Amino acid sequence: MTFSLLPYQVRWVQDGSRLKVIEKSRRIGASWAEAYDAVMHTADSSGNAYYQSYNQEMTRGFIDDCAGWARSLQVGADAVGEAILRDGNRDVKAFRIGIASGKEIVAMTSAPRAFRSKGRPGDLAIVDEAAFVDDLQEVIKSALAFLVWGGRAHILSTHNGEGNPFAVLCRDIREGVQPGSLHRVTFADALRDGLYGRICEIKGDEWTRQGEAVWEAEIRAEYGRHAAEELDVEPAAGSGAWLTWDDIRAIEHPDAGNPDLFSNGSCYVGIDVARRRDLWVAA
């Protein structure tokens, strides 16, 4: 069964901007539309496509979606295969599919330096669920490097706090600090464009306005207080982390926290004050 793209998906794939970013609700099919875009990009010999996300399940799912689109569009493609890419001192498992044009689509988990050796003229960098990948600032820098030689960068994500680098990137584009195209699709936007009708079509159910209202209410109830960020594309205040635990631990003195070494001198305590929930204690 083949399905056409919904209007918000069409707007996304038809945007030919060198850098385009989408801040979106969960589970609206943005990655599926991006798989279509990647297949079309490689099929017309524009360049290779390199995809990153935060876990292996998503990367394999993206490649499977690309294979499905290649079949639907009758674009010649190899069977899905595996490859090993180098990220600094570690190997990164990747999935790949070759297109008849001679180009390929490669998907891997977030590996900041793996993008560094890519980016030939016309290549495409894709970062999916960007707000949740490791070392996003480095990944974004590597993806933007694709633009130097005429390539493109696509960055997709739900939000993960207003301090997250993804939220900062969205603000920078919105305010004109960073050149690029910004798309915003809330759960309500997706419903207006036919998301629930598409779900009914896939499941073989009959669409009704009342059924859609009930389904939306159930989804919102499931997300509870997280619905504003997860569905309404409003990054949560105070969420996200500027410093990772690895960064913090790397500068920690080996004697830190040893009470036997305390000599009654001055002490300094850094506190992340929880204003709304989660009690905190400085002892």
Side-chain angles (χ1 to χ4, degrees):
M1 186 179 293
T2 301
F3 298 100
S4 60
L5 297 172
L6 294 172
Y8 60 88
Q9 296 170 323
V10 171
R11 290 191 291 272
W12 174 252
V13 301
Q14 287 184 342
D15 184 349
S17 301
R18 295 173 65 223
L19 168 63
K20 63 180 181 181
V21 177
I22 181 169
E23 48 179 352
K24 64 181 186 65
S25 167
R26 285 223 182 266
R27 309 305 297 170
I28 61 169
S31 299
W32 185 68
E34 182 59 30
Y36 168 88
D37 209 357
V39 170
M40 295 301 292
H41 178 84
T42 51
D44 66 9
S45 299
S46 294
N48 298 313
Y50 299 97
Y51 171 96
Q52 286 194 14
S53 190
Y54 68 93
N55 70 25
Q56 188 169 302
E57 182 180 354
M58 282 197 69
T59 60
R60 178 59 196 245
F62 181 80
I63 284 290
D64 288 343
D65 286 343
C66 289
W69 276 117
R71 288 191 297 270
S72 296
L73 299 168
Q74 298 184 342
V75 174
D78 299 336
V80 173
E82 296 183 6
I84 300 296
L85 301 178
R86 195 70 176 163
D87 176 29
N89 295 322
R90 67 188 179 106
D91 292 331
V92 177
K93 183 179 181 180
F95 301 98
R96 65 166 299 280
I97 181 170
I99 304 299
S101 64
K103 304 302 181 181
E104 64 178 7
I105 304 170
V106 180
M108 69 200 90
T109 53
S110 52
R113 287 165 294 276
F115 267 167
R116 286 290 182 182
S117 59
K118 309 300 184 294
R120 294 177 181 273
D123 282 355
L124 168 63
I126 304 165
V127 187
D128 198 358
E129 285 299 0
F132 301 89
V133 306
D134 297 330
D135 200 356
L136 178 57
Q137 288 178 311
E138 183 63 28
V139 171
I140 289 176
K141 285 194 297 183
S142 298
L144 292 180
F146 277 57
L147 308 182
V148 174
W149 289 96
R152 294 158 61 195
H154 299 173
I155 301 177
L156 310 80
S157 192
T158 48
H159 277 294
N160 186 26
E162 63 180 3
N164 187 280
F166 175 73
V168 174
L169 175 64
C170 292
R171 282 200 303 273
D172 284 349
I173 294 176
R174 188 175 290 115
E175 295 171 3
V177 176
Q178 168 71 54
S181 174
L182 180 64
H183 295 239
R184 185 174 187 271
V185 183
T186 67
F187 192 57
D189 295 332
L191 287 175
R192 280 193 295 270
D193 275 354
L195 175 63
Y196 181 68
R198 175 57 49 80
I199 291 172
C200 289
E201 187 180 358
I202 293 172
K203 295 172 64 178
D205 296 339
E206 180 182 358
W207 176 90
T208 65
R209 191 173 303 279
Q210 180 181 3
E212 179 169 315
V214 170
W215 181 77
E216 179 183 5
E218 290 174 346
I219 296 297
R220 289 190 173 280
E222 289 174 359
Y223 279 101
R225 60 185 173 82
H226 300 295
E229 182 167 63
E230 298 286 335
L231 303 178
D232 300 328
V233 196
E234 298 175 6
S239 299
W242 285 101
L243 294 175
T244 67
W245 279 113
D246 288 341
D247 291 334
I248 294 170
R249 292 182 181 118
I251 61 173
E252 185 179 68
H253 193 280
D255 292 333
N258 184 347
D260 295 334
L261 298 178
F262 179 58
S263 58
N264 295 314
S266 299
C267 292
Y268 300 88
V269 181
I271 300 170
D272 178 7
V273 180
R275 295 182 297 169
R276 294 176 298 174
R277 63 179 187 272
D278 303 330
L279 297 177
W280 58 276
V281 176

